[in-house]
Each structure stands twice: as C-alpha cells, then as structure tokens.
Amino acid sequence: MKTRTSSALALLASSVFLTAATPAPDARVSLLDAMEEELQRNQRQLKLQNHEPPYFISYQLKDTEQTSLVARYGSLFLDNTSRYRRMYVDTRVGSYEFDNSGPEEYTYFVGGGRGTSYVVNKEGPLDDSSLALRTALWLATDEKYKASLSQLLKKKGENVYTVEDPKQPPSFSKEKPVRSIQPPVAFPFDHARWARVARELSARFKDHPEIFDSEVRVTADKVGRYFVSSEGSRILSEEVMYGVHVTAVTRADDGQLLDDSRNYYAPTEAGLPDEKTLEAAATRIVEELKALRKAPVIDPYTGPAILAAEAAGVLFHEAVGHRLEGDRQDGEGEGKTFRGQVGRQVLPTFLSIVDDPTVRALKGEPLNGFYEYDEEGVKGQRTVLVEKGVLRNYLLSRRPVEGFLQSNGHGRSQGTAKPVARMANLIVDSTKQLDDGELKKQLIAEAKRQGKPYGLIIRDITGGNTNTSSYGYQAFKGVPRMVFRVDVKTGEETLVRGVEIVGTPLSAVNRIMATGRKQGVFNGFCGAESGNVPVSTVAPAMLLQEIELQRAEEGKDRPPLLPSPAQGGVTTSGAAK
C-alpha cells in the first residue's frame, strides 16, 4: 500500500483496565449541541461586506485517546498515553456548482506528498465546556471563511485564462442530511498484562545472535467523532482499534538488511491474539529471517509468477484501487488512468472488484476498513467498481466526478485532515478459480512455454507504493518478503531474496491468467493525500503470465562488530566473560 505504518494508538492507564475518559452520553450530546448552535449562528450572521456569505459550513471534532507500549530486548522503551481534541472546519463560499474548492487547494511538498494549503485544523478544549468549544469554533470559522473568500476570488480570476469545459462537474455534491447518535463504545485495556507480554515477547529474540534488533509494539486507539453541518447532519460516533506489531531485523552476509514482522489488528481487546499465538509468531519470524540470511540473491526477473492472496491484494490496491479514487479523475497533476473508461473492459472478464466499508469481518477476521459514516458525513456504501472486467464506478467523496454527482461514502482522512476519496475494504472476486496445486502446475507450464528455467511464488509481502501523477511514470512497486523460485523440471521450491516487484498497472493486472479459490486478507494502513487511514484488501492468489522484479536496494553495512551483551555475556561487575 502507499504507506503502511502502525497506527498511533492509545488509552488511559489503570492498574487492570483502561476506561476511556469519554464524557457521559448527555455531556457528549451537549458538546454536539454547542457545535450546532455555533454553526447556525455563523450561517445566519457571518458575512464580509460586499462579499457573499458561506453557503455551506461543517464542523468536526475528534476526541482521541492513545496509548503505545514498545518493548525491546526484554524491557519497555516506551509507555506513552495521550489525549487530545482537534477540530476541522469546512467553510465553502459560492455555490454547489462553483465554489472555492478544487485541485488548486493542494500544495506539493518534497517527497511526493500533498497537503491542503489553508486547512484550518485547530486544537479543541479537553474540558467539556460548551462555551470554550464554541469560542474555538468561532475563531476557526472566521479564519476559514476569509481564506475561502480569497480562494474563490483567485479561482474566478484563473478561470479567465481557462478553456470552458461543458462537462465540468459541480464543485460539491448535494447530500441528504444524516442524524446518528451512537452509544459509547467500551474501551478496556489491561495495561499491566500487555506491558508484561511486550517485555517477554521481545526478550525471546535475545537468544538469537543473528537478530540484532527487534521491537514489540502494543497499541490502542479510541476516537470519538462529533460532526455537524449546515445541511442538517448531526453525527456522534466512537471507533476503537487495538494492535500488536512484532518486528525483527538482521543482515545477510553480503550486508543486505532483512526484516520480518507480524501485525495484528482488532476492534476489541479480546480480539487480539493470545500469548501462545504471539510466541509462535515470534518463533516463525526468527526461522524466516535465518532462512532469508542463507537464501541466494536472484537477478532481476521477468516471467510468470504466483502472488499469494495477501500479495495479490496489495497488487490490486496499488495498481488499480488508487487509480479508481474519484479525486484522481480530474485532479491537477493526476495521470487519470481510468477517466472516461466507465462501461469499458479494463480487467480480465473473470475479475470483479467492490469496495465495501460496511463489512466488519470476513470469515471471522476483522477488516480494518470498516466504518459507518465517512469524514464528510455520508454513509459508507458498498460500491461495485469493476464487474466482470468492466469499469462501473469510482470511489467517490463529495467532490463530484463527470457522470457521478453523488458521494458513495468514501471521503476519508486521518484525524482532521481534508477528506478525499479513498479505499476502505477493497474486495477482489474471481470466477476463474483453481486449486493451489493446479495453480502451481500452470505456473510451471507457462514458465516452460516462455523458456524460463523457473517461475516464482511470492508468499508474503510487506506492502507497496504507487505513483499516479501525470508528471511521473504510471508505475507501482511491491516489497515481497518470502519469494520462492520454482524449478520447472522438478517443481522444487527454493527461497530467494533481493528483489522487489515493479510494473505498470494496466499491463500487470491484464496478465492475470487464473486465481486461487481462497481469499486472503491484508489489513494495514494506507498513506495518501489525506493521511494514513485503516484499510483492508481481500483477494485470492493469482497467477500472472508476466511480472517484473528489479533488484532491491543492496546494503553493504556490516552487522554489529561485537555480540550483544545478552549473547556475549557480562559479569555482574560489567566485565566481559
């Protein structure tokens, strides 16, 4: 995925359970009432002389509680808890047809990221003071209104030089107001237990000299969301996510840095893996890293390959999903890969794709991309993107796209960043399914047909990234971890290393020959213009007629010269044994 990081998760500590410091239900509603009152006051009265008033205002307040426990070498390195409230104010001037918003809102930064140039994103009061909250909103609204007026005038001036487009969609979609007050969500956390688990699990790596660094991170995050708009929407919700992340690092003899990890997410504390499962995961990480250290480096490769389910999901997320996000269809600087392709075949006819934020879990496994309402107050909706290879729709925020004037509830952002169209739960289905054994047979047959001495099976992947801009190449990259070379004569599998997946999106996905029967889930976080948001991809394994792998970055650094104190041994006085 574009960027995958552990979420900054958290909660307030107690000796046994962490109970969220969320206001009682009546206090929560009082804060929502205060936001609505201030919004209505500004809508009625806010106007600069000789200029138009705002036609749309929305307020969003996010009450975030976060805790992160990090252990290394059997000891806690971080035990951090925080709580903050932040506001996002959206004030639009003009009309739904033409307002101050648009692609020119974005400013490009070094590193390829984009952020809004004048988003008003302020701290809110931690106390449940209606007056303090209204005062903060009042100042933020005044600031944003003036900036919006300036932006509208600039946009009108620039339009003097722009060719008129009769198909130009409106600036902002009209949506029905939503009113939803969700009850408080329980937020337990056994702080003492998870601190002990993190210490003990991280200590297991000390017995392996090859593993020179490791980390166990236990996280929890609760976000209470308050949203009101001048259209009449009124939403109060709470979301909780827990995580356990186990990572270890080694180097091969040639200096290449090798890492391995296991990441677990759950909407409840009880949904996290038990200690036995985590210990088995740590053992497996050690075994895989030892095997990777001994694995041969292979040369760049072009030929047939099987992508295991999770790896196939990452391929579709990067190569297809990002290019179906509505804001990319006419954004300044975007490549617009699928613009104007609705109703046309863009994938093999046996493949279909939907994005469904309403799915909480698949076969008992929670999906990170679940939510009820997006960041713009629109209900999340199941959206058929590709049906039997034919493009049907885009992922849509409240920024309309030609032919699609309504949001389908995919306006998303991290925290209080400006929402844009983003993926949630991207699900790939296939009608051309084969058993795993038959899939491997076809891999070997295709490698023979192409005159290749081997094919590849990519069984694990850490993530990926993509470039969708018009000023760069339309390409994507995946970072495989466990790659196996399959000998065409014997069918023997050999672990290899030192390569990463590269390709152009349309070429890669249109070379899929068949898929497996079982779908796999990749849970993670995706980073793009509006920050890191939780996402899932669901897909079966896939046989590609051709995939390209380039050399991964070659490390030349030496591993630590001395063994670690735990491995080399020290006396009680500190002298070496």
Side-chain angles (χ1 to χ4, degrees):
M1 302 187 175
K2 263 192 150 181
T3 302
R4 185 165 289 99
T5 63
S6 302
S7 66
L9 305 177
L11 33 156
L12 300 177
S14 71
S15 58
V16 180
F17 289 102
L18 178 68
T19 303
T22 305
D26 57 335
R28 297 187 312 152
V29 173
S30 294
L31 290 179
L32 201 64
D33 290 341
M35 294 172 63
E36 192 167 31
E37 289 169 10
E38 186 57 30
L39 185 147
Q40 291 174 353
R41 184 174 80 97
N42 279 274
Q43 189 180 22
R44 289 192 306 267
Q45 302 178 26
L46 185 61
K47 184 180 184 301
L48 185 64
Q49 188 175 3
N50 299 323
H51 294 280
E52 52 199 301
Y55 78 91
F56 174 87
I57 303 174
S58 70
Y59 294 157
Q60 182 160 253
L61 175 71
K62 285 193 173 179
D63 186 346
T64 303
E65 302 170 44
Q66 298 182 324
T67 286
S68 188
L69 300 171
V70 176
R72 302 169 71 191
Y73 326 127
S75 178
L76 279 185
F77 273 56
L78 177 69
D79 185 348
N80 185 58
T81 296
S82 64
R83 181 176 176 227
Y84 53 88
R85 282 176 174 169
R86 288 182 181 152
M87 309 179 305
Y88 173 73
V89 173
D90 189 10
T91 301
R92 293 174 176 266
V93 182
S95 66
Y96 285 97
E97 292 298 319
F98 184 86
D99 66 16
N100 55 286
S101 63
E104 60 274 12
E105 275 189 83
Y106 294 106
T107 302
Y108 288 84
F109 294 100
V110 174
R114 296 197 298 178
T116 54
S117 56
Y118 62 86
V119 167
V120 176
N121 185 349
K122 304 275 187 183
E123 300 293 329
L126 289 175
D127 294 330
D128 299 329
S129 168
S130 295
L131 180 58
L133 179 57
R134 289 188 61 174
T135 303
L137 288 168
W138 160 64
L139 288 172
T141 308
D142 182 84
E143 182 180 344
K144 183 63 185 287
Y145 171 58
K146 293 169 183 173
S148 297
L149 275 176
S150 175
Q151 189 69 27
L152 179 64
L153 293 172
K154 179 182 176 182
K155 187 174 177 180
K156 287 180 176 179
E158 290 176 348
N159 273 12
V160 172
Y161 299 94
T162 305
V163 176
E164 290 187 13
D165 181 1
K167 296 182 178 180
Q168 181 68 35
S171 295
F172 198 53
S173 69
K174 293 182 179 180
E175 305 292 343
K176 294 180 180 179
V178 172
R179 302 183 77 85
S180 174
I181 306 295
Q182 297 177 6
V185 177
F187 192 40
F189 186 71
D190 192 335
H191 187 277
R193 178 206 168 198
W194 287 111
R196 175 183 58 79
V197 169
R199 286 189 182 98
E200 293 176 355
L201 199 60
S202 68
R204 296 177 67 88
F205 294 99
K206 294 192 297 182
D207 297 330
H208 303 279
E210 304 91 342
I211 311 299
F212 64 81
D213 203 1
S214 61
E215 177 182 286
V216 177
R217 181 181 295 264
V218 182
T219 57
D221 181 34
K222 180 175 182 178
V223 179
R225 180 188 174 210
Y226 303 74
F227 179 88
V228 296
S229 76
S230 56
E231 293 172 328
S233 287
R234 179 181 167 94
I235 299 172
L236 177 55
S237 64
E238 294 183 357
E239 297 175 353
V240 172
M241 183 178 289
Y242 299 86
V244 178
H245 312 276
V246 186
T247 305
V249 180
T250 187
R251 282 192 187 277
D253 291 340
D254 60 10
Q256 184 179 16
L257 190 67
L258 303 169
D259 68 275
D260 200 358
S261 64
R262 295 293 186 276
N263 299 285
Y264 305 91
Y265 301 94
T268 63
E269 184 186 24
L272 290 175
D274 59 24
E275 293 171 44
K276 193 172 184 180
T277 301
L278 292 172
E279 289 171 0
T283 299
R284 186 62 180 159
I285 288 173
V286 171
E287 292 172 350
E288 290 178 354
L289 285 176
K290 287 183 176 180
L292 282 169
R293 291 185 79 250
K294 298 177 181 178
V297 176
I298 63 169
D299 293 328
Y301 171 85
T302 301
I306 293 174
L307 299 184
E310 290 189 2
V314 172
L315 168 70
F316 271 81
H317 179 98
E318 300 298 349
V320 181
H322 277 300
R323 288 166 174 79
L324 292 178
E325 292 166 339
D327 293 58
R328 303 190 189 282
Q329 306 314 309
D330 65 349
E332 290 293 324
E334 287 291 345
K336 307 171 189 176
T337 306
F338 292 111
R339 182 175 178 177
Q341 300 296 308
V342 174
R344 298 180 183 178
Q345 183 179 335
V346 295
L347 295 177
T349 56
F350 56 87
L351 294 175
S352 298
I353 306 176
V354 302
D355 192 283
D356 193 349
T358 70
V359 179
R360 291 179 180 269
L362 184 69
K363 295 181 180 178
E365 185 168 357
L367 299 184
N368 275 15
F370 167 80
Y371 57 85
E372 292 196 41
Y373 298 95
D374 72 5
E375 308 300 317
E376 296 178 306
V378 180
K379 189 171 182 60
Q381 300 161 34
R382 180 181 186 273
T383 304
V384 177
L385 299 170
V386 178
E387 183 179 32
K388 296 179 180 178
V390 177
L391 181 61
R392 297 298 185 192
N393 206 338
Y394 302 109
L395 300 163
L396 299 169
S397 65
R398 294 193 64 175
R399 178 179 173 183
V401 173
E402 181 183 337
F404 300 92
L405 303 185
Q406 304 302 133
S407 169
N408 51 36
H410 283 82
R412 307 188 66 199
S413 67
Q414 176 186 15
T416 49
K418 178 180 171 57
V420 299
R422 302 286 295 276
M423 285 172 277
N425 293 322
L426 194 75
I427 302 171
V428 182
D429 285 312
S430 168
T431 58
K432 191 176 181 180
Q433 302 176 353
L434 299 174
D435 294 329
D436 292 346
E438 184 60 33
L439 213 56
K440 183 176 177 179
K441 287 180 181 178
Q442 287 208 12
L443 169 70
I444 293 173
E446 181 60 26
K448 288 181 177 178
R449 189 189 69 79
Q450 295 183 25
K452 305 288 184 182
Y454 59 85
L456 294 180
I457 298 178
I458 299 172
R459 288 208 163 92
D460 189 22
I461 192 166
T462 64
N465 57 73
T466 190
N467 176 32
T468 65
S469 66
S470 59
Y471 58 86
Y473 297 105
Q474 289 294 300
F476 69 90
K477 183 166 74 171
V479 185
R481 179 181 287 140
M482 304 300 289
V483 181
F484 293 84
R485 183 170 57 196
V486 182
D487 189 280
V488 297
K489 294 180 180 178
T490 65
E492 181 181 355
E493 298 180 18
T494 304
L495 179 66
V496 295
R497 62 179 172 88
V499 289
E500 53 192 18
I501 304 168
V502 293
T504 52
L506 296 183
S507 175
V509 295
N510 277 288
R511 289 178 177 170
I512 297 170
M513 301 173 65
T515 74
R517 296 190 185 279
K518 299 178 182 178
Q519 288 180 315
V521 176
F522 190 111
N523 278 322
F525 279 72
C526 173
E529 292 81 352
S530 59
N532 290 317
V533 297
V535 296
S536 299
T537 56
V538 180
M542 296 188 182
L543 170 61
L544 278 73
Q545 183 180 39
E546 183 178 89
I547 195 169
E548 182 177 351
L549 285 85
Q550 67 181 17
R551 283 194 184 276
E553 182 178 356
E554 296 180 355
K556 293 299 182 184
D557 291 346
R558 296 178 184 271
L561 299 178
L562 294 177
S564 74
Q567 295 152 359
V570 294
T571 66
T572 54
S573 64
K577 290 182 179 178

